[in-house]
Amino acid sequence: MSEQALRELAAAIDHTLLKPEATREHIRKLCREAREYGFAAVCVNPLWVAEARAELRETNVAVASVVGFPLGATTPEAKLFEARQALEQGATELDVVVSLGLLKGGEDEAFRHELSRLVAAALASGAKVKAILETCLLTEEEKVRAAKLSVEAGVHYLKTSTGFGGGGATVDDVALLRKLSPPHVGVKASGGIRTFAQARAMLAAGATRLGTSSGVAIMEEARKWYGRA
């Protein structure tokens, strides 16, 4: 039972390295760890997509690339170019930072249209899109509207945070996004998840993916916990 639980936990983790100072060797290490533990995906900056794809070609680990990271405030055309390039280099998941200025300014159609174009590009390559909502910067009404518009645009996951916006995932935000999402849309908790207890809490609240740079530490802590159970 404990081994199954560990496999299920690993299969929910996006093993993440988005620090600007990450080197090629850091990315290779990230991929080796993802293979070893059986993580769902690695999440890397666009510069390293091809490297990660080469390292993980014979595995079931997905390669996720961020788009418009970390502010989401570049042009829709720039985001689309960045997404298409990542897809061409082997990304199968795109973690897209939404345009918060459009959302907060009430430009709902422009917000939805930008995401719709990115979803269409991803689907043409058999890839999936996660919309990063940066919930720490949103009011409750804005969280609801962002989730609704993102789902209407066809995204595959609602994601809480970049981890660079001054706040991370909370249990309440994960539960809210789960409530607002239809069954076919996943919820990714990301930002500040560093312990097994935090991971369990996010999953219990309805997360289906966990974005964390502490995947190895979480797995080792979980292994010890299940060993005592």
Side-chain angles (χ1 to χ4, degrees):
M1 180 62 182
S2 62
E3 286 302 317
Q4 180 181 344
L6 287 169
R7 284 194 296 271
E8 290 174 355
L9 174 61
I13 290 176
D14 284 3
H15 197 32
T16 302
L17 180 54
L18 296 170
K19 292 181 178 180
E21 68 270 27
T23 66
R24 192 177 305 276
E25 186 49 46
H26 291 142
I27 299 302
R28 289 173 177 169
K29 181 174 182 286
L30 185 83
C31 293
R32 289 195 298 269
E33 292 168 346
R35 288 197 305 268
E36 178 183 349
Y37 287 91
F39 292 138
V42 296
C43 187
V44 299
N45 280 304
L47 176 63
W48 301 117
V49 168
E51 184 70 32
R53 180 72 279 157
E55 290 289 320
L56 295 168
R57 194 171 301 281
E58 302 301 322
T59 76
N60 292 323
V61 181
V63 175
S65 179
V66 289
V67 174
F69 194 83
L71 301 179
T74 189
T75 65
E77 290 74 19
K79 285 184 180 177
L80 192 58
F81 178 85
E82 188 174 36
R84 285 173 172 161
Q85 188 173 53
L87 294 167
E88 289 170 1
Q89 292 179 350
T92 55
E93 299 182 358
L94 302 175
D95 288 36
V96 177
V97 187
V98 302
S99 294
L100 294 179
L102 294 179
L103 181 78
K104 286 181 172 288
E107 299 185 56
D108 289 7
E109 182 52 39
F111 178 96
R112 180 172 44 220
H113 181 62
E114 177 183 276
L115 277 177
S116 295
R117 293 174 72 196
L118 291 163
V119 169
L123 289 176
S125 296
K128 297 180 179 180
V129 170
K130 309 184 193 100
I132 309 176
L133 306 184
E134 204 69 285
T135 49
C136 66
L137 300 180
L138 303 179
T139 66
E140 286 300 299
E141 182 275 333
E142 288 166 347
K143 292 173 191 176
V144 172
R145 192 153 46 88
K148 176 177 179 290
L149 293 169
S150 298
V151 169
E152 288 175 355
V155 303
H156 302 86
Y157 291 85
L158 298 177
K159 178 177 172 180
T160 59
S161 322
T162 61
F164 288 74
T170 68
V171 166
D172 287 345
D173 282 342
V174 169
L176 176 64
L177 295 183
R178 181 68 275 163
K179 179 181 177 181
L180 296 170
S181 303
H184 68 277
V185 174
V187 173
K188 179 175 173 178
S190 182
I193 304 170
R194 300 184 180 90
T195 69
F196 177 48
Q198 290 173 316
R200 290 179 70 203
M202 296 299 172
L203 292 169
T208 52
R209 286 281 188 95
L210 305 172
T212 177
S213 59
S214 301
V216 171
I218 289 170
M219 290 302 300
E220 291 305 315
E221 189 181 349
R223 194 179 303 278
K224 293 176 183 177
W225 190 89
Y226 282 116
R228 293 194 303 265

